[in-house]
Amino acid sequence: MQYTQSIKAIRASILDITKVVDKPEDIEQHVRFIEDGLLLVDQGRIEWVGEWEEGKDKVPDSVRIRFYPGKIVMPGFIDTHIHYPQAEMVGAYGEQLLEWLNNYTFPTEARYKDRDYSKEMSKFFIKQLLRNGTTTGMVFGTVHPESVDALFSEANKLNMRIVAGKVMMDRNAPDYLLDTPETSYNQTKTLIEKWHKKDRLLYAITPRFAPTSTPEQLEMAHKLREEYPDTYIHTHLSENTNEIAWVKELFPEQDGYLDVYHHYGLTGSKSVFAHCVHLEDQEWDCIQETDSAIAFCPTSNLYLGSGLFKMQEAWKRNVKVGIGTDIGAGTTFNMMQTLNEAYKVAQLQQQKLSAFEALYLATLGGAKALSLDHLLGNFEVGKEADFVVIDPCATPLQQLRYDNSSELIEKLFVLMTLGDDRSIYRTYVDGCLVYERS
Ligand code: GUN
Ligand code: ZN
């Protein structure tokens, strides 16, 4: 094999899930754990993965081997729902969704009209993702096109795979945050032309949620989707009971919340709906029939008191689900902490979330939810080389629990229960080292 100088050779334990599954019981048989493994990366792609002993002769003499003993290399985490402008308002006290939006969120988002501010906060946001091992996100900007320009240009400096979009919102928010059907169409179109498929960037048409868009604006979102069929739709759905009642008032002619989006042609395999906590049966049917995806946001759903997502219903119906931190209603950028809360959401419903299922949701399952599983989510040869080097024993307590756990699934479960940003030892994007824990 011929390698260029850009090749990277990583020696460590290697962990991924090799196949998209239809049932959680099937995940275990596709877990690949290589205790002493080698990962070869060339030009930002996975070139080879396997046992160190088998692969070591493939590493050219000129290439320095990065050896991480005791560490575990996993695919980078995929956050399927996050608001970058809300990083600065995590932990806003005392409200549920609609009051939280009015009292905290809208005033905060007003700041992103300013290009320089957006740039500064985009840099902060990307650093937060990387120090938490998250290499791909599906991201809300604000209503201001400047916010999305700034995010995309910062992400592009690292050649990250980011999906993002400008919020479309033309009613039921303060005037200073409103666009119109026409301006939202024109601004979104300009952003799509500029950023969609530029390197690894992708565009999501982003109506905030049904209450803040007029029917005319939803028509515009539909028109954009028709014009750019390979972009995404990213919005919120069925998060809070007052929100749902409000949607029914605002759109009496539609048969419930999801039917609003469906009516305007916004469901489909590249549509990602955040939350989906209170879906009715016919809404589950619609999600399933249209192959739409759900972002399950456990810390947010608990923090805002929204409710408990029914993961088992999603599996039963083979609906695609990824994990979202939903910063800033969510309380952490960290995927392990988010999975820890997902476990508790399951527990409150007398259900279980195994460590393998959790790992799947945060990696390959998330990639599938974003229709990116042909590019991301595991170490299949040819896929994009975004990965994280995990320290499973970052604290004395983690060391103790790690040492007294025997099976891999237990060690991983301890990691997802006790892990946080200290567990992230290194992060690689596009084959390049982009974060080192000090
Ligand atoms: N619904 C509409 N906007 C938002 C938002 O910013 N966060 C959450 N969690 N739900 C929303
Ligand atoms: Zn959200």
Side-chain angles (χ1 to χ4, degrees), residues 79 81-88 90 112 117-132 134-141 147 150-152 154-155 158 160 162-164 325-328 332-333:
D79 188 335
H81 180 69
I82 183 164
H83 300 248
Y84 101 79
Q86 295 178 14
E88 62 189 273
V90 171
Y112 291 75
Y117 190 69
S118 291
K119 183 172 174 184
E120 187 191 324
M121 295 312 290
S122 294
K123 284 182 199 282
F124 178 85
F125 173 77
I126 287 169
K127 280 194 183 144
Q128 288 297 307
L129 291 182
L130 300 177
R131 67 176 288 123
N132 285 287
T134 297
T135 50
T136 284
M138 185 173 234
V139 189
F140 261 64
S147 71
L151 179 69
F152 276 138
E154 290 308 313
L158 298 177
M160 284 180 84
I162 289 286
V163 190
T325 60
D326 193 27
I327 287 286
T332 177
F333 276 82

Side-chain angles (χ1 to χ4, degrees), residues 392-393 395-415 418:
C393 304
T395 68
L397 179 61
Q398 285 177 46
Q399 179 82 57
L400 179 74
R401 274 300 275 121
Y402 196 79
D403 292 345
N404 68 23
S405 323
S406 45
E407 304 293 321
L408 173 66
I409 194 166
E410 190 184 355
K411 287 180 191 290
L412 283 179
F413 188 69
V414 168
L415 176 68
L418 297 177

Side-chain angles (χ1 to χ4, degrees), residues 151-160 195 198-199 201:
L151 179 69
F152 276 138
S153 59
E154 290 308 313
N156 201 36
K157 288 181 184 165
L158 298 177
N159 203 17
M160 284 180 84
W195 295 110
K198 177 171 168 54
D199 301 319
L201 305 173

Side-chain angles (χ1 to χ4, degrees), residues 81 83 86 89 97-98 100-101 105-106 109 140 169 208-212 235-237 239 243 257 274-275 297 300-301 304 306 326-330:
H81 180 69
H83 300 248
Q86 295 178 14
M89 51 163 290
L97 176 65
L98 299 177
W100 175 86
L101 283 171
T105 315
F106 293 149
E109 292 193 0
F140 261 64
M169 167 157 79
R208 177 170 217 119
F209 67 155
T212 48
T235 189
H236 298 92
L237 171 63
E239 177 177 4
E243 169 210 23
Y257 196 160
H275 306 299
C297 307
S300 165
N301 296 159
L304 291 185
S306 302
D326 193 27
I327 287 286

Side-chain angles (χ1 to χ4, degrees), residues 324-344:
T325 60
D326 193 27
I327 287 286
T331 49
T332 177
F333 276 82
N334 189 264
M335 196 50 78
M336 283 163 279
Q337 292 193 351
T338 307
L339 295 171
N340 180 14
E341 298 303 296
Y343 176 77
K344 295 168 192 169

